[in-house]
Amino acid sequence: MCGIFFSLSTTGPVLPTEETCCLLRTRGPDSLRVHTVQWGINNKDCDSVYLTFVSTVLSLRGDYVHSQPLVDGESQSVLCWNGEAWKVAGTQVRDNDTEHIFQLLLQAVKPLSTAGDPETTDRRNAVQRLADVISSISGPFSFVFYDAFNSRLFFSRDCLGRRSLLQGLDEARTLKICSVCDGTFSTHFEEVDTEGVYMIDLGNTFSQDTSVAIATAGDVQNNIYNIQTLPWCQQDSPAGHLKTPIPHMNKAVPQGNPPPLNTESPCVSELELRLHQSLKLRIQNVPEPPNYTKGRDAKVAVLFSGGLDCTLLARLSHDILPSSETIDLLNVAFENPRVAAAAAAGKDKTAKSVQSVYESCPDRMTGRAAFAELEKVCPGRNWRFVAIDIPYVETCAHRDQVKRLMRPHNTEMDLSIACALYFASRGQGVASEIGAGESQPIPYTTSARVLLSGLGADELFAGYGRHGIAFSRSGFEGLIDEINLDVSRLGKRNLGRDDRILSNWGREARYPYLDEEFVAWVLQAPVWEKCGFGVLESSDSSDHETEFKETGIDSEKKALRLVALKLGMTNVAREKKRAIQFGSRTAKMEKGRVKGTEVLS
């Protein structure tokens, strides 16, 4: 995980504000470096363009800190990289990915010395070669790359938008590209779109008869810097395009009733294997965090509500990591004054029947139940349940910081979700461990720098209520269209916001369900192998015990539920879907009738 800042200015080097610099440092506490390039031009309005690069680094790959920006000694090309290239062209990257990607980009843009290849043709080919490199990367990323050979700037996010990158103009018409918003509320920043890789050809943009100096700050949408797009397309894409790793969805509809789905189904075993492979890439060989004590501290933690998606990741992590490694389960619960008032008045019998307003939170109850089931199924593992209790006064104290981090998102729902992620990723609470018995939980802050998130499972496996509604209205065709819509807009939704929030504590979120190869496999599988809508239950099974165990399994995400059941997580396999803002009780803290889409003041 890294923090990126870049500015393009005609008036001199432009650094991030002090506040932004602090936020970048929290994202990358291991290194900070600044590099400036002065690019000379012959223009009536200015004689130089200044490119300023700032990177902070959270080192999670390799055996030492690779400080950024990386600068090529030969060409003075520059790379700011915030990502995890798990594979390149199908081959696993085992050491530091930043150095590897930089060398591939340099090879792509370096002019070829072939006599029969004119310079203009090679410049075009260099763009395609760079597009091919980006297309070959499997993993989340955002980056800014300056190709000094051809005086071009490239920037982008991966097609699923798993890393934050924002762009905007300040009052002086300086183009800024940053992991977080840089400036005041009035400064116009927007998420860098996930439609492709963006390119600024400095030679064309700042030519003799072209100047951006006369543009106004409001012209960012009019592309005053002549930003070109290299779009993502399917595998048969034309020249000048990137090849997306996400295929078209399988829209086959079953003829008659599809076969019943159970724990013995081949597709369930294949799903377990594919998810295991995705998770393994993300949790093996994680470096020891600072001041790490083996056997006590954790390298990996799970954002843990006790629901199906996150608990399945925890259960599979047990099969991958050495038994000596502790796995932290981060479970957050909030004091919601509306709920507390209802409990005090006797209106909320659930909250009144337990000892604490935190212990009555739905996610706390499912979290403790799932923790107990993990202890039972995986007794050789030290699972540490971290109860993160957030008083209302503390929520209020941090609210402005959360709103600052989530910009440009600015709705009540954004704030509710962001608050839950913000405090969960801080990882500060009280810890309960296996064998603790009746002893008092102890204050604890997780040492883990890698956080596992179950995000993406609902979109891929039909986990939302609207999927069931779509099926009831329009059958398999309606269900397929709804899933396809969810997947198609993953890159345009909230992963950038979540990245800005989760990274604030010097930790990196990893999303096994959003691995490109895993997503591709799920999308190409027929819909009836992912969920149980329209599938008749088996009635002729000779194994009555198995048949009994599989009763009561919901249609939503049925394949994942069956994997959990197969791995011994009987109760977790039956857990209902619950949105994080309701499970942790961050939603509607002050007033009950507010809409999630309401814009914050």
Side-chain angles (χ1 to χ4, degrees), residues 306-376:
L308 170 68
D309 310 329
C310 60
T311 308
L312 185 53
L313 294 181
R315 172 63 186 84
L316 288 170
S317 295
H318 169 74
D319 295 338
I320 297 169
L321 295 176
S323 58
S324 59
E325 286 194 22
T326 296
I327 300 176
D328 284 351
L329 309 173
L330 308 181
N331 182 275
V332 66
F334 287 77
E335 178 191 12
N336 186 311
R338 282 195 321 104
V339 176
K347 297 178 182 178
D348 187 340
K349 295 180 180 180
T350 303
K352 199 173 182 180
S353 66
V354 297
Q355 183 178 7
S356 158
V357 67
Y358 306 111
E359 293 301 311
S360 72
C361 279
D363 280 2
R364 178 58 52 80
M365 291 189 286
T366 56
R368 289 204 182 278
F371 172 49
E373 193 162 34
L374 284 168
E375 287 182 326
K376 180 181 177 181

Side-chain angles (χ1 to χ4, degrees), residues 14 22 34 36 52 71 82 90 102 129 167 264 317 339 464 487 498 563 581 595:
V14 175
C22 289
V34 179
T36 299
T52 303
V71 181
N82 174 25
F102 191 37
R129 293 194 297 268
Q167 68 181 84
E264 304 303 316
S317 295
V339 176
Y464 293 116
V487 174
D498 295 351
V563 172
Q581 66 269 35
K595 293 183 178 179

Side-chain angles (χ1 to χ4, degrees), residues 4 81-82 134 139-144 154-167 177-179 190-198 230 232 242 409 490-500:
I4 292 174
W81 171 262
N82 174 25
I134 301 302
F141 62 78
S142 62
F143 71 87
V144 176
F154 298 89
F155 62 96
S156 183
R157 304 162 67 200
D158 70 82
C159 63
L160 294 175
R162 290 163 290 184
R163 290 290 179 263
S164 172
L165 199 64
L166 303 164
Q167 68 181 84
I177 301 170
C178 192
S179 299
E190 60 187 5
E191 303 266 8
V192 170
D193 208 324
T194 55
E195 292 297 320
V197 170
Y198 300 94
L230 311 178
W232 292 102
L242 300 110
H409 292 253
L490 269 171
K492 296 179 179 296
R493 299 192 73 186
N494 302 315
L495 283 163
R497 176 202 66 194
D498 295 351
D499 177 72
R500 293 189 291 280

